[in-house]
Amino acid sequence: MKHSRKLIFICNGSDCKKAGAKKLGKELKSQCNSTGLKGTCKLIKTKCMDMCKTAPNVIVGDHFCKKTDVDKVMVQLKKS
Ligand code: FES
């Protein structure tokens, strides 16, 4: 099944939170809104993904972004 919206999963487990996942989520939301991607992607907060060593973790589509930041996620989002 093809999704009409791109799904972005942001880990909100304790280690990722410590590594700035909350701030990352907020920044991603504002970036998506300001770059015309509003309505085309959906941010979903998840529990721990069991990859705490590489926090913060984000999944964009089928790509796993480790030790990521807003820019890396936006690049991946535009690729997918
Ligand atoms: S807290 Fe994010 S992977 Fe464990």
Side-chain angles (χ1 to χ4, degrees):
M1 190 177 108
K2 187 147 176 78
H3 291 286
S4 55
R5 288 195 285 182
K6 290 170 188 166
L7 301 178
I8 305 168
F9 296 93
I10 305 171
C11 176
N12 263 251
S14 58
D15 283 352
C16 287
K17 261 189 194 165
K18 269 183 225 156
K22 252 189 176 174
K23 190 170 158 244
L24 179 65
K26 278 185 193 166
E27 285 175 1
L28 271 176
K29 194 172 183 181
S30 65
Q31 278 276 327
C32 285
N33 289 343
S34 64
T35 54
L37 290 170
K38 194 174 185 180
T40 64
C41 50
K42 173 110 181 110
L43 297 175
I44 300 166
K45 290 177 185 170
T46 70
K47 291 184 177 175
C48 177
M49 298 175 182
D50 262 352
M51 303 277 278
C52 307
K53 280 185 182 167
T54 56
N57 293 306
V58 175
I59 298 176
V60 182
D62 55 2
H63 186 85
F64 212 107
C65 304
K66 297 170 183 172
K67 291 188 180 176
T68 194
D69 57 27
V70 179
D71 296 333
K72 286 183 196 168
V73 175
M74 290 309 286
V75 167
Q76 192 57 44
L77 193 58
K78 283 170 190 162
K79 268 196 223 165
S80 63

